[in-house]
Amino acid sequence: WALKSPGHRASILRTASTIMSQNKELLSEMETSDTGRVIRETKYDVDEGAECLHYYAGLANTLGGEMYKLPGSSLGYTLREPLGVTVGIGAWNYPLQGALWKSVPALAFGNSMIFKPSEYTPSTALWLAECYAEAGVPEGVFQVVLGDGQVGEELVQSELVSKISFTGSAE
């Protein structure tokens, strides 16, 4: 995934956005069922999720370095590279948005993500994994693991993880 071009990753994210928009009613109902929030709000969340995918698809091509002059005739440069395996741990109250806000930037810039939703609201995270697969994200690049806080604790303690994004409480 990290070796794919930014344009390729962006194209996949745009496809995922289209799939999400096409499934607005289903996703809204799933989110309302999981969280108890009103359908008007969860429809808005789906629209915002599709926009999030488009936004980061547009940013994917901006992951470049910078070159600058050093004293004398030397040049310095920065090279931005994917971090590798990232972990996202989401909260119960905005499960779809949380999963997107954590996974989309990671995927856009060539990272993989293991996402652990709240054990109370996993439905849309599981759907998102299917959406990404249908859009063309390779198997294993976005994975959802289910469980309680102990699962999250094991993820954040792993030496294989390069970055963690956590929302919620430790309980």
Side-chain angles (χ1 to χ4, degrees), residues 115-135:
F115 185 76
K116 188 202 123 8
S118 165
E119 61 267 33
Y120 304 113
T121 55
S123 300
T124 50
L126 293 168
W127 182 91
L128 184 59
E130 293 175 9
C131 173
Y132 282 150
E134 183 179 336

Side-chain angles (χ1 to χ4, degrees), residues 23-38:
N23 287 276
K24 180 177 181 176
E25 294 299 320
L26 170 67
L27 281 169
S28 301
E29 290 170 10
M30 290 171 70
E31 196 84 335
T32 293
S33 177
D34 271 0
T35 64
R37 293 172 49 234
V38 297

Side-chain angles (χ1 to χ4, degrees), residues 39-104:
I39 196 81
R40 181 183 72 251
E41 289 181 9
T42 59
K43 284 182 178 181
Y44 176 80
D45 291 351
V46 175
D47 289 339
E48 288 298 305
E51 285 300 315
C52 177
L53 285 154
H54 265 288
Y55 177 78
Y56 281 99
L59 285 181
N61 284 314
T62 67
L63 182 66
E66 297 176 20
M67 188 172 291
Y68 49 94
K69 183 156 177 38
L70 295 173
S73 61
S74 298
L75 294 174
Y77 69 93
T78 60
L79 178 62
R80 298 176 188 216
E81 298 176 317
L83 297 169
V85 178
T86 62
V87 166
I89 299 177
W92 66 271
N93 52 346
Y94 289 89
L96 179 61
Q97 285 186 330
L100 288 161
W101 293 339
K102 293 175 186 328
S103 67
V104 178

Side-chain angles (χ1 to χ4, degrees), residues 1-4 9 63 79-86 106-112 162:
W1 182 246
L3 299 177
K4 298 289 185 189
R9 293 191 303 263
L63 182 66
L79 178 62
R80 298 176 188 216
E81 298 176 317
L83 297 169
V85 178
T86 62
L107 297 180
F109 296 114
N111 299 291
S112 62
S162 300

